[in-house]
Amino acid sequence: MAKKQFKTESRKMLDMMINSVYTNKEIFLRELISNASDAIDKRYFRSLTDSSVGLPRDEYAITIAVDKEARTITVSDNGCGMTDKDLEQNLGTIAHSDSGEFKTDNKDDNISIIGQFGVGFYSAFMVSSRIVVTTRSIGSDVAYVWESEGVDGYTIAETTKDSFGTEIVMYLKEDAENETYSEFMDAYRIQELIKKYSDYIRYPIRMDVETSRPVEGSDSEDAPKYETVVENRTLNSMVPIWHRKASDVSEEEYAEFYKAHFYDSQAPLRTIHAHIEGNVEYEMLLFVPQNAPYDYYSKDYVKGIQLYSDGVMIMEKCSDLLPDYFNFVRGVVDSSDLTLNISRETLQQNYQVKTIAKSIEKKIKSELLKMQKEDREKYETFFKAFGGQLKYGVYSDYGIHKDVLQDLLVFRSTSSDRYITLKEYVEAMPESQKSIYYAFSDTPELAAQLPRTQAVVEKGYDVLLLCDDIDEFALGAINIYSEKGFKNVTAGDLDLSTDEEKDALKKANEDNTEMFTAMQEALEGKVKVVRFSSSLGEHPVSLSSEGYISAEMARILSKMPGNEAFANAEMALEINLNHKIADTLRNLFVQDKDKLALYTKILYAQARQISGLEIENPVELSNMICELMV
Ligand code: ADP
């Protein structure tokens, strides 16, 4: 029989398939099953107007059969079938011939082209050395057999077939050193692939599976006897959970689905299930996990939403659907408006994907806000797991996402043990309060104990208690919230005093400049200035920072390479004017300058310790204190 030649593009595509280095060869099964499902759809629709071609609804099915001796896998359907013309057109030409020029000399290009076009039927050549398609079109008496061993061409001949539909027999390639094709004949492997890619195909995918079961009537006292039986199994569950009405799905069902599908041992913290209509119509089923997955903070973590086109998975992790700051969200998006052939390369420009991404972001935000409002305890659990990512989101990209994210942040504060939002903080501010105060230390408790925190609290203001490195940077990015700026309690002037207090402080500082100079010299340039302060509450000393960089930022920045210049914030050592220590120092300045130097060093060490900074020389400090004792 004379061989027909493939069209040029098809030949190139085939050549690529046959010599493919594409690692994802397993997708061939998904492609064939998806074609079979489409074919059944077509027959079904035709039967609505032509009852002679129809079948009872529950007889439509896709069948997989394996013959290990012949080394074949067969995929059959009772769909619309193909005429000889159809065969010529559909399998002799690649469906995407408008794809234009593509090179086949570069292996990397091949991979991206395979990804790009979804590849369809030809993907079967990645695993097969020969393919035989027997098909009978609905309403036709004649059947045809199409056969090909690849680029050499194909033949079409008349044959007979009992019923309408298509049967595709793949003769698997021989196993090679680094490629095993036999695995695709393994019943478990096939079941796994169906579960992974085609679970939600709306027609049953059936296969005979050998299982062993105890022989009936065998004595239970003896070791039970087993026999091998063949069971005809339906491998797919057919109805995706996201296609069901949210009101019909129980919490448990969602949880089971989530755990099995996304390999988490815990139920999700929140489930978001919605049918979206509009420019693009789709289902979204999203989950916020309870805990960060083990690799969440590693480079290996890949964000993404599973993307389905009408029940067929087309991408395991579509990262374009999720902004980085919501990268912890898992889930599924299914839209019949998307084509199967969408790929990583074309996704980013894809209008539908962009639209879906935008609405997903909005939905996640509104659901998180809802959880924040309705169940603060749950929200705290969420925030402990993923709050860092939100704060990072506020700070990243020069703060352009702050409007999306700032109301999702919650903080500990001096007013309660619970977390509060910026909105709640601002709403509770007394009229006299100008800024949003925050304090930073290793833990919220330590931040609450800072002398300057207490001074602000005594004034009747709440103070946000920060302890994550990213916190201060996030607030810096927000900069102004509800017309209020942020003020680090340990930075600069807190502006808490009355006019008289201010005048008294000013005078005390002016009267003691010489003493302060002596103290500063004793500290050998470690602080920029020593001065009295009247906003330290009951505490004798405190460190505060001068200028933009706070002591905490300096500490964090100094740990990052290349930031040595930032390493030292300009610090001020503040002595409480209203504490007895102020008098002690003034007396020492007159009577014993050496002791003043000693006291200054000890006070400085104390101030560092209170601020959560390391003491530079603990041995020296210990010796100094002992000197005073003996
Ligand atoms: P695509 O499915 O993207 O169109 P394929 O290469 O997978 O590309 O298939 C080409 C065409 O062959 C299909 O559009 C369909 O018309 C036809 N076809 C493939 N498989 C079947 C089948 N099992 N039954 C009927 N027609 C089929």
Side-chain angles (χ1 to χ4, degrees), residues 421-500:
T421 63
L422 290 176
K423 195 158 171 247
E424 288 160 348
Y425 181 100
V426 168
E427 279 167 3
M429 276 169 70
E431 189 107 25
S432 59
Q433 187 180 345
K434 307 268 179 335
S435 312
I436 300 171
Y437 291 100
Y438 68 88
F440 189 101
S441 191
D442 287 341
T443 65
E445 290 70 28
L446 286 174
Q449 285 165 21
L450 291 175
R452 281 172 153 244
T453 303
Q454 302 216 326
V456 178
V457 170
E458 272 165 34
K459 186 86 187 164
Y461 303 160
D462 195 5
V463 178
L464 301 178
L465 304 171
L466 315 182
C467 55
D468 266 351
D469 282 1
I470 187 74
D471 282 336
E472 207 173 6
F473 294 92
L475 294 187
I478 295 174
N479 191 27
I480 303 283
Y481 182 86
S482 189
E483 295 171 16
K484 304 281 188 289
F486 292 89
K487 212 164 180 50
N488 184 340
V489 295
T490 62
D493 182 14
L494 285 178
D495 199 16
L496 294 173
S497 325
T498 62
D499 286 346
E500 290 109 75

XYZ file of all heavy atoms in Angstrom, residues 421-500:
623
model
N -5.337 45.275 64.216
C -5.018 45.785 62.889
C -4.635 47.261 63.008
O -4.890 47.902 64.034
C -6.242 45.694 61.951
O -7.280 46.533 62.492
C -6.749 44.268 61.842
N -4.061 47.798 61.958
C -3.721 49.224 61.968
C -4.993 50.059 62.095
O -5.019 51.086 62.763
C -2.973 49.600 60.685
C -1.552 49.033 60.562
C -0.952 49.388 59.208
C -0.661 49.546 61.692
N -6.040 49.569 61.452
C -7.304 50.291 61.490
C -7.809 50.387 62.931
O -8.219 51.457 63.402
C -8.327 49.552 60.619
C -9.541 50.334 60.274
C -10.195 49.744 59.022
C -11.537 50.394 58.799
N -12.654 49.457 58.975
N -7.769 49.257 63.625
C -8.223 49.249 65.015
C -7.348 50.162 65.875
O -7.839 50.859 66.761
C -8.202 47.813 65.566
C -9.309 46.954 64.977
C -9.054 45.451 65.087
O -7.919 45.053 65.422
O -9.978 44.689 64.812
N -6.056 50.158 65.608
C -5.143 51.017 66.365
C -5.530 52.481 66.181
O -5.688 53.224 67.149
C -3.703 50.791 65.894
C -2.682 51.634 66.639
C -1.919 51.089 67.668
C -2.474 52.979 66.321
C -0.992 51.849 68.365
C -1.559 53.753 67.001
C -0.813 53.185 68.025
O 0.106 53.955 68.704
N -5.694 52.864 64.932
C -5.968 54.276 64.637
C -7.324 54.707 65.207
O -7.472 55.795 65.760
C -5.899 54.533 63.113
C -6.453 55.893 62.750
C -4.461 54.405 62.631
N -8.308 53.810 65.108
C -9.634 54.151 65.628
C -9.616 54.381 67.140
O -10.410 55.145 67.671
C -10.636 53.045 65.271
C -11.146 53.201 63.844
C -11.899 51.972 63.346
O -12.082 51.009 64.123
O -12.280 51.992 62.160
N -8.684 53.704 67.833
C -8.625 53.832 69.289
C -7.715 54.971 69.749
O -7.577 55.217 70.940
C -8.156 52.513 69.887
N -7.097 55.666 68.798
C -6.159 56.732 69.181
C -6.882 57.912 69.831
O -7.879 58.384 69.305
C -5.427 57.259 67.931
C -4.211 56.441 67.532
S -3.565 56.880 65.897
C -2.876 58.486 66.200
N -6.362 58.414 70.999
C -6.945 59.634 71.545
C -6.641 60.827 70.626
O -5.686 60.789 69.846
C -6.255 59.804 72.898
C -5.146 58.832 72.939
C -5.272 57.881 71.798
N -7.470 61.834 70.754
C -7.350 63.022 69.898
C -5.928 63.600 69.874
O -5.404 63.977 68.837
C -8.306 64.094 70.427
C -8.453 65.302 69.538
C -9.810 65.308 68.843
O -10.762 64.693 69.375
O -9.898 65.909 67.780
N -5.297 63.613 71.095
C -3.993 64.274 71.218
C -2.870 63.512 70.507
O -1.814 64.067 70.225
C -3.632 64.402 72.701
O -3.594 63.108 73.283
N -3.115 62.238 70.202
C -2.028 61.421 69.655
C -1.821 61.688 68.166
O -2.749 61.625 67.376
C -2.342 59.936 69.882
C -1.184 59.014 69.502
C -1.508 57.548 69.743
O -2.474 57.212 70.439
N -0.703 56.673 69.163
N -0.561 61.987 67.820
C -0.285 62.377 66.433
C 0.203 61.210 65.571
O -0.048 61.174 64.374
C 0.792 63.469 66.404
C 0.504 64.671 67.288
C -0.225 65.727 66.492
C -0.577 66.978 67.292
N -0.722 66.865 68.736
N 0.957 60.298 66.217
C 1.600 59.247 65.423
C 1.197 57.860 65.910
O 0.676 57.698 67.004
C 3.120 59.345 65.534
O 3.551 60.658 65.324
N 1.479 56.876 65.057
C 1.317 55.480 65.452
C 2.655 55.037 66.045
O 3.674 55.068 65.364
C 0.969 54.608 64.230
C -0.337 55.097 63.589
C 0.899 53.135 64.612
C -0.667 54.448 62.252
N 2.652 54.678 67.315
C 3.909 54.311 67.970
C 4.183 52.822 67.855
O 3.268 52.001 67.913
C 3.865 54.687 69.457
C 3.883 56.177 69.671
C 2.713 56.879 69.930
C 5.084 56.881 69.597
C 2.725 58.255 70.108
C 5.115 58.267 69.784
C 3.928 58.947 70.033
O 3.953 60.294 70.201
N 5.449 52.493 67.694
C 5.818 51.080 67.726
C 7.150 50.915 68.423
O 7.955 51.845 68.496
C 5.858 50.474 66.328
C 6.964 50.995 65.437
C 8.229 50.398 65.444
C 6.747 52.076 64.586
C 9.237 50.864 64.622
C 7.753 52.557 63.765
C 9.000 51.947 63.782
O 9.996 52.419 62.979
N 7.333 49.737 68.986
C 8.593 49.410 69.648
C 9.067 48.077 69.116
O 8.261 47.220 68.753
C 8.382 49.321 71.150
N 10.354 47.920 69.072
C 10.918 46.712 68.482
C 11.852 46.023 69.453
O 12.693 46.663 70.070
C 11.707 47.098 67.225
C 12.152 45.926 66.421
C 11.464 45.556 65.281
C 13.256 45.190 66.802
C 11.863 44.459 64.538
C 13.670 44.082 66.062
C 12.971 43.723 64.926
N 11.688 44.718 69.602
C 12.679 43.938 70.352
C 12.581 42.475 69.930
O 11.861 42.157 68.998
C 12.444 44.089 71.856
O 13.549 43.541 72.549
N 13.285 41.595 70.654
C 13.291 40.192 70.245
C 11.933 39.528 70.405
O 11.581 38.617 69.657
C 14.328 39.408 71.057
C 15.740 39.760 70.609
O 15.866 40.293 69.487
O 16.683 39.529 71.376
N 11.192 39.956 71.415
C 9.844 39.413 71.610
C 8.908 40.595 71.902
O 9.372 41.667 72.317
C 9.779 38.460 72.821
O 10.048 39.236 74.003
C 10.785 37.332 72.706
N 7.615 40.408 71.720
C 6.674 41.487 72.046
C 6.789 41.889 73.521
O 6.692 43.076 73.851
C 5.304 40.861 71.768
C 5.556 39.747 70.825
C 6.942 39.250 71.107
N 7.028 40.897 74.379
C 7.127 41.185 75.817
C 8.297 42.117 76.096
O 8.178 43.077 76.868
C 7.287 39.880 76.617
C 6.041 38.996 76.644
C 5.706 38.345 75.301
O 6.651 38.110 74.504
O 4.514 38.098 75.021
N 9.444 41.840 75.481
C 10.610 42.697 75.690
C 10.373 44.090 75.122
O 10.758 45.096 75.715
C 11.854 42.073 75.050
C 12.447 40.881 75.795
C 13.577 40.249 74.989
C 12.957 41.319 77.170
N 9.715 44.150 73.975
C 9.430 45.457 73.374
C 8.530 46.274 74.292
O 8.676 47.495 74.420
C 8.778 45.276 72.003
N 7.615 45.563 74.982
C 6.687 46.261 75.883
C 7.420 46.836 77.084
O 6.976 47.818 77.685
C 5.592 45.302 76.337
N 8.559 46.211 77.448
C 9.276 46.666 78.638
C 10.283 47.767 78.375
O 10.904 48.269 79.309
C 9.994 45.467 79.275
C 9.042 44.538 80.011
C 9.690 43.206 80.320
O 10.909 43.090 80.350
N 8.858 42.204 80.539
N 10.482 48.118 77.124
C 11.452 49.183 76.833
C 11.041 50.459 77.570
O 9.856 50.792 77.610
C 11.510 49.458 75.328
C 12.125 48.367 74.457
C 11.998 48.742 72.988
C 13.585 48.144 74.834
N 12.020 51.197 78.151
C 11.697 52.401 78.907
C 10.824 53.365 78.105
O 9.831 53.888 78.609
C 13.057 53.030 79.181
C 14.037 51.934 79.035
C 13.455 50.919 78.126
N 11.181 53.566 76.870
C 10.440 54.535 76.086
C 9.044 54.027 75.714
O 8.130 54.806 75.512
C 11.226 54.930 74.845
C 12.323 55.942 75.169
C 13.196 56.173 73.974
N 13.790 57.493 74.010
C 13.545 58.441 73.108
N 12.695 58.219 72.127
N 14.137 59.607 73.194
N 8.887 52.711 75.613
C 7.544 52.159 75.386
C 6.674 52.540 76.573
O 5.538 53.016 76.421
C 7.581 50.622 75.279
O 8.466 50.259 74.245
C 6.199 50.062 74.993
N 7.250 52.341 77.760
C 6.459 52.606 78.958
C 6.099 54.079 79.074
O 5.003 54.427 79.510
C 7.225 52.116 80.170
C 7.522 50.619 80.019
C 7.465 49.857 81.306
O 7.811 50.374 82.354
N 7.025 48.625 81.221
N 7.021 54.929 78.636
C 6.728 56.357 78.678
C 5.526 56.686 77.792
O 4.654 57.475 78.161
C 7.954 57.148 78.237
N 5.482 56.056 76.636
C 4.369 56.312 75.710
C 3.070 55.742 76.285
O 2.012 56.376 76.229
C 4.658 55.698 74.315
C 3.479 55.917 73.374
C 5.919 56.308 73.720
N 3.163 54.563 76.875
C 1.980 53.942 77.462
C 1.436 54.802 78.612
O 0.229 55.006 78.734
C 2.294 52.505 77.949
C 1.144 51.941 78.770
C 2.570 51.606 76.747
N 2.373 55.332 79.425
C 1.942 56.188 80.536
C 1.163 57.399 80.044
O 0.290 57.927 80.712
C 3.158 56.656 81.342
C 3.532 55.675 82.447
C 4.927 55.938 82.997
O 5.328 57.125 83.046
O 5.611 54.961 83.345
N 1.499 57.816 78.872
C 0.819 58.962 78.270
C -0.599 58.579 77.816
O -1.402 59.430 77.445
C 1.672 59.431 77.085
C 1.221 60.671 76.417
C 1.764 61.903 77.108
C 1.121 63.135 76.477
N 1.281 64.331 77.280
N -0.892 57.282 77.825
C -2.220 56.816 77.434
C -2.311 56.366 75.984
O -3.401 56.197 75.438
N -1.151 56.165 75.353
C -1.153 55.725 73.956
C -0.783 54.256 73.858
O -0.021 53.737 74.662
C -0.136 56.536 73.133
C -0.344 58.033 73.156
C 0.707 58.884 72.811
C -1.577 58.594 73.506
C 0.543 60.258 72.814
C -1.745 59.972 73.513
C -0.691 60.803 73.174
O -0.850 62.143 73.181
N -1.320 53.617 72.823
C -0.992 52.214 72.564
C 0.311 52.153 71.754
O 0.615 53.067 70.988
C -2.144 51.578 71.762
C -2.081 50.055 71.768
O -1.217 49.496 72.466
O -2.916 49.440 71.074
N 1.050 51.077 71.928
C 2.300 50.907 71.171
C 2.283 49.534 70.492
O 2.028 48.515 71.140
C 3.531 50.994 72.108
C 4.823 50.773 71.312
C 3.566 52.328 72.834
N 2.527 49.515 69.194
C 2.638 48.240 68.478
C 3.957 47.590 68.861
O 4.988 48.266 68.940
C 2.612 48.467 66.961
C 1.379 49.152 66.388
C 1.544 49.348 64.880
C 0.119 48.325 66.683
N 3.914 46.293 69.105
C 5.114 45.592 69.560
C 5.642 44.697 68.441
O 4.986 43.727 68.061
C 4.765 44.760 70.793
C 4.146 45.571 71.934
C 3.623 44.650 73.024
C 5.161 46.564 72.495
N 6.768 45.054 67.915
C 7.291 44.335 66.760
C 8.487 43.475 67.140
O 9.278 43.850 67.991
C 7.748 45.325 65.686
C 6.809 46.493 65.363
C 7.406 47.343 64.250
C 5.449 45.971 64.952
N 8.593 42.322 66.485
C 9.783 41.515 66.739
C 10.277 40.753 65.516
O 11.212 39.983 65.607
C 9.554 40.573 67.913
S 8.125 39.540 67.715
N 9.655 40.960 64.371
C 10.157 40.350 63.137
C 11.069 41.333 62.439
O 10.741 42.523 62.353
C 8.989 40.074 62.166
C 8.464 38.668 62.317
O 9.123 37.892 63.034
O 7.418 38.376 61.734
N 12.177 40.832 61.906
C 13.092 41.717 61.184
C 12.373 42.552 60.129
O 12.680 43.713 59.915
C 14.179 40.893 60.484
C 15.247 40.457 61.487
O 15.086 40.788 62.682
O 16.206 39.803 61.077
N 11.397 41.937 59.468
C 10.748 42.608 58.352
C 9.768 43.697 58.809
O 9.436 44.616 58.055
C 10.016 41.557 57.468
C 9.447 42.156 56.169
C 8.911 40.886 58.233
C 10.455 42.461 55.140
N 9.340 43.640 60.073
C 8.283 44.526 60.553
C 8.531 46.008 60.277
O 7.692 46.712 59.722
C 8.094 44.355 62.065
C 7.294 43.100 62.397
O 6.530 42.647 61.532
O 7.453 42.597 63.516
N 9.708 46.444 60.701
C 9.971 47.869 60.608
C 10.071 48.318 59.155
O 9.685 49.432 58.795
C 11.251 48.201 61.365
C 11.246 49.621 61.864
C 12.430 49.939 62.760
O 13.327 49.089 62.919
O 12.445 51.058 63.284
N 10.571 47.415 58.309
C 10.670 47.744 56.887
C 9.277 47.838 56.268
O 9.011 48.680 55.422
C 11.513 46.696 56.166
C 12.946 46.707 56.600
C 13.381 45.892 57.623
C 13.853 47.568 56.003
C 14.704 45.913 58.042
C 15.176 47.603 56.411
C 15.608 46.770 57.434
N 8.389 46.953 56.713
C 7.016 46.985 56.191
C 6.332 48.287 56.594
O 5.708 48.952 55.758
C 6.231 45.786 56.706
N 6.492 48.672 57.862
C 5.877 49.930 58.292
C 6.505 51.112 57.548
O 5.824 52.063 57.183
C 6.034 50.121 59.808
C 5.277 49.115 60.678
C 5.368 49.512 62.148
C 3.811 49.004 60.262
N 7.806 51.007 57.322
C 8.491 52.053 56.552
C 7.880 52.187 55.163
O 7.713 53.291 54.636
N 7.509 51.037 54.567
C 6.923 51.067 53.220
C 5.514 51.655 53.260
O 5.096 52.380 52.358
C 6.887 49.663 52.633
N 4.780 51.362 54.322
C 3.432 51.931 54.434
C 3.544 53.438 54.651
O 2.797 54.225 54.072
C 2.645 51.265 55.592
C 2.408 49.786 55.276
C 1.312 51.970 55.821
C 1.771 49.004 56.409
N 4.503 53.826 55.487
C 4.834 55.238 55.697
C 3.738 56.064 56.349
O 3.894 56.607 57.419
C 5.295 55.867 54.369
C 5.886 57.237 54.589
O 6.416 57.509 55.681
N 5.783 58.109 53.604
N 2.590 56.148 55.683
C 1.464 56.889 56.256
C 0.256 55.969 56.233
O -0.082 55.416 55.188
C 1.112 58.129 55.390
C 2.311 59.059 55.226
C -0.105 58.860 55.966
C 2.618 59.915 56.431
N -0.387 55.798 57.390
C -1.628 55.020 57.404
C -2.724 55.908 57.960
O -2.601 56.441 59.065
C -1.487 53.757 58.262
C -2.746 52.920 58.239
C -2.963 51.984 57.240
C -3.748 53.126 59.184
C -4.129 51.245 57.189
C -4.925 52.393 59.139
C -5.112 51.457 58.135
O -6.273 50.744 58.074
N -3.790 56.067 57.202
C -4.911 56.891 57.635
C -4.419 58.252 58.139
O -4.760 58.697 59.226
C -5.665 56.121 58.730
O -6.849 56.744 59.058
N -3.561 58.839 57.355
C -2.995 60.179 57.620
C -2.080 60.232 58.835
O -1.712 61.313 59.302
C -4.110 61.221 57.765
C -4.874 61.416 56.458
C -6.103 62.280 56.632
O -6.208 62.971 57.657
O -6.951 62.253 55.721
N -1.731 59.089 59.390
C -0.826 59.072 60.541
C 0.508 58.448 60.145
O 0.539 57.415 59.477
C -1.433 58.234 61.678
C -2.809 58.686 62.121
C -2.709 59.910 63.026
C -4.042 60.275 63.660
N -5.021 60.836 62.683
N 1.577 59.096 60.633
C 2.896 58.526 60.393
C 3.240 57.535 61.492
O 2.524 57.411 62.483
N 4.349 56.821 61.305
C 4.787 55.852 62.314
C 5.965 56.409 63.093
O 6.804 57.116 62.539
C 5.194 54.544 61.635
C 4.044 53.819 61.013
C 3.679 54.081 59.692
C 3.310 52.899 61.741
C 2.607 53.423 59.108
C 2.240 52.232 61.165
C 1.877 52.497 59.851
N 6.012 56.101 64.358
C 7.110 56.585 65.174
C 7.665 55.446 66.023
O 6.940 54.835 66.806
C 6.617 57.716 66.082
C 7.675 58.752 66.354
C 7.031 60.012 66.919
C 8.015 61.098 67.226
N 8.954 61.453 66.184
N 8.948 55.189 65.836
C 9.624 54.213 66.676
C 9.853 54.851 68.039
O 10.420 55.930 68.135
C 10.966 53.860 66.023
C 11.698 52.765 66.772
O 11.422 52.507 67.943
N 12.625 52.132 66.088
N 9.416 54.209 69.104
C 9.541 54.831 70.430
C 10.994 55.087 70.806
O 11.280 55.961 71.616
C 8.868 53.994 71.551
C 7.373 53.920 71.357
C 9.486 52.625 71.661
N 11.900 54.337 70.212
C 13.297 54.556 70.579
C 14.022 55.504 69.627
O 15.229 55.645 69.696
C 14.084 53.230 70.642
O 14.075 52.648 69.345
C 13.487 52.286 71.652
N 13.293 56.119 68.733
C 13.971 57.001 67.780
C 13.605 58.459 68.016
O 12.426 58.816 68.034
C 13.617 56.604 66.350
N 14.639 59.275 68.226
C 14.464 60.721 68.290
C 13.512 61.173 69.379
O 13.279 60.491 70.372
N 12.954 62.334 69.165
C 12.090 62.965 70.158
C 10.677 62.413 70.034
O 10.103 62.363 68.948
C 12.098 64.484 69.892
C 11.240 65.209 70.928
O 10.882 64.589 71.950
O 10.939 66.393 70.689
N 10.128 61.985 71.156
C 8.795 61.391 71.102
C 7.685 62.434 71.161
O 6.521 62.123 70.949
C 8.621 60.400 72.253
C 9.357 59.088 72.062
C 9.155 58.197 73.263
C 8.861 58.397 70.804
N 8.062 63.635 71.496
C 7.092 64.717 71.508
C 5.906 64.421 72.433
O 4.754 64.587 72.059
C 6.602 64.966 70.064
C 5.968 66.345 69.952
O 6.193 67.171 70.864
O 5.249 66.580 68.964
N 6.251 63.963 73.658
C 5.175 63.607 74.591
C 5.012 64.648 75.699
O 4.051 64.608 76.460
C 5.479 62.257 75.259
C 5.500 61.022 74.368
C 5.993 59.820 75.158
C 4.126 60.748 73.793
N 5.973 65.582 75.799
C 5.999 66.445 76.979
C 5.152 67.697 76.805
O 4.854 68.121 75.697
C 7.433 66.882 77.261
O 8.339 65.868 76.950
N 4.816 68.287 77.989
C 4.133 69.577 77.967
C 5.181 70.665 77.711
O 6.384 70.400 77.759
C 3.491 69.861 79.335
O 4.547 69.915 80.311
C 2.485 68.790 79.701
N 4.709 71.868 77.462
C 5.647 72.965 77.173
C 6.600 73.233 78.341
O 7.794 73.449 78.150
C 4.880 74.240 76.817
C 4.294 74.125 75.412
O 4.713 73.192 74.675
O 3.415 74.942 75.060
N 6.043 73.189 79.582
C 6.923 73.433 80.749
C 7.995 72.363 80.850
O 9.153 72.643 81.099
C 6.116 73.441 82.066
C 5.207 74.632 82.244
C 3.759 74.238 82.105
O 3.234 73.620 83.056
O 3.154 74.538 81.039
